[in-house]
Amino acid sequence: IFIGLGILQSLLLALQSFLLTWCALRASRHIHEAMLKRLLAAPLSFFDKVPAGRILNRFLQDLDSIDNFVPDSIMKQVTSTLAIVSQLSLIFTMLPSVLLAMPVLVIPYIIVFRRVRVSNRDAKRIEATAHAPVYAHFGDALTGRQTIQAFGIERIFAEKNLELVYAMSLGKYWNQAVGKWAQASLSQWGCMLYLVCGVTCVVLSSQGALSASRIGLVLLYASGLNRAMMDYCINAAVLESQFVSVERVAEYTRLPTELADTLAAEMPVSQRWPQSGTVSVRGVHLRYA
């Protein structure tokens, strides 16, 4: 029986990984094609206003987050939700009285989650925005490397690059610091749920209403519930912060296109309009000024 359950679990995990990878690749391909199509059809004024590093940031960093982190965050959130449901069901079946303490125990989780989700999302926006100057500066340095070497200002460009990389790393540090603070806060409060379950088990055991085997089972699942609830709150905040990349990429899928492309399909061409034309250059002399 256990061998069959192990084989079934392995097959389900393989199917889960296959479906997740297939859906992620399909979504990423669709988003990339939509971005590229809009970008190639964008007016020239867009490229005059937007630095090249910002465009590269959308196609490099943001698409990388969508490909690698968003699917994993969704799967972790689904796994944490199922773990919480199963563990709470077992605890409430064995100890229905613990249900009375849940409204009080859940309030701190809600408070921490509300604080973390906004801070984590804004820190992710700062981190994502800080990548564009690094790409733009590095591209400018590669393009003008001969001029930089001719004037001997390599040190200035190196210091500017370190300054931009520091700003980018600072955004990453803020994002990680918010997550660590949430983990520390939720871990400490999760011990309260474990304490309530332990006290209830002791009281019921002294009255003979709960056997030792059930006490061990309840305490085992209560310890896992602490971790599952903490992961659920943190993963929900991380998932929302990862969707900042989706939000930034979606902005480029709605770029305005050249007006001539839309007019060509909507307005009929007059019959008197010339169908072909030539340019003739005669008697032209050129020289250096």
Side-chain angles (χ1 to χ4, degrees), residues 216-279:
L217 185 63
V218 170
L219 293 179
L220 177 63
Y221 276 83
S223 62
L225 182 62
N226 176 21
R227 178 70 183 184
M229 294 183 68
M230 180 185 68
D231 290 341
Y232 179 83
C233 293
I234 294 177
N235 289 335
V238 170
L239 180 61
E240 185 176 356
S241 67
Q242 294 298 338
F243 265 85
V244 171
S245 299
V246 180
E247 175 187 278
R248 288 163 54 85
V249 167
E251 179 186 356
Y252 272 43
T253 60
R254 297 188 294 266
L255 289 176
T257 58
E258 289 284 358
L259 188 60
D261 296 337
T262 58
L263 291 179
E266 297 175 0
M267 296 181 61
V269 180
S270 176
Q271 297 295 331
R272 295 179 296 177
W273 187 263
Q275 300 299 321
S276 62
T278 57
V279 177

Side-chain angles (χ1 to χ4, degrees), residues 21-174:
T21 304
W22 180 74
C23 294
L25 288 176
R26 184 178 179 183
S28 178
R29 188 181 297 111
H30 176 73
I31 292 174
H32 184 272
E33 290 178 356
M35 284 180 61
L36 186 61
K37 182 178 179 181
R38 284 284 183 168
L39 187 65
L40 294 178
L44 292 178
S45 58
F46 171 79
F47 298 97
D48 293 335
K49 295 182 295 184
V50 179
R54 189 178 303 174
I55 299 175
L56 290 175
N57 190 20
R58 294 294 199 280
F59 281 90
L60 295 177
Q61 185 66 29
D62 292 327
L63 278 181
D64 178 69
S65 297
I66 294 174
D67 293 341
N68 296 324
F69 298 108
V70 172
D72 291 340
S73 298
I74 294 176
M75 186 53 59
K76 288 180 181 179
Q77 190 68 9
V78 173
T79 304
S80 299
T81 304
L82 295 177
I84 290 175
V85 172
S86 61
Q87 291 168 359
L88 281 177
S89 300
L90 188 141
I91 293 175
F92 293 154
T93 302
M94 299 293 181
L95 298 175
S97 57
V98 179
L99 185 61
L100 300 176
M102 286 304 297
V104 179
L105 296 175
V106 170
I107 292 177
Y109 285 93
I110 298 175
I111 295 175
V112 172
F113 175 71
R114 287 181 176 179
R115 290 179 177 272
V116 169
R117 63 185 292 267
V118 177
S119 303
N120 205 15
R121 183 184 60 211
D122 293 342
K124 183 64 178 179
R125 284 200 177 103
I126 294 174
E127 178 191 352
T129 306
H131 283 83
V134 176
Y135 295 145
H137 182 266
F138 189 73
D140 294 340
L142 290 178
T143 304
R145 60 186 182 277
Q146 291 88 358
T147 306
I148 295 174
Q149 292 175 354
F151 284 90
I153 53 176
E154 295 91 344
R155 184 177 58 84
I156 298 177
F157 271 76
E159 292 177 354
K160 182 64 175 178
N161 182 69
L162 290 176
E163 180 181 347
L164 295 175
V165 171
Y166 175 77
M168 181 180 66
S169 303
L170 193 61
K172 183 70 173 180
Y173 172 77
W174 289 341

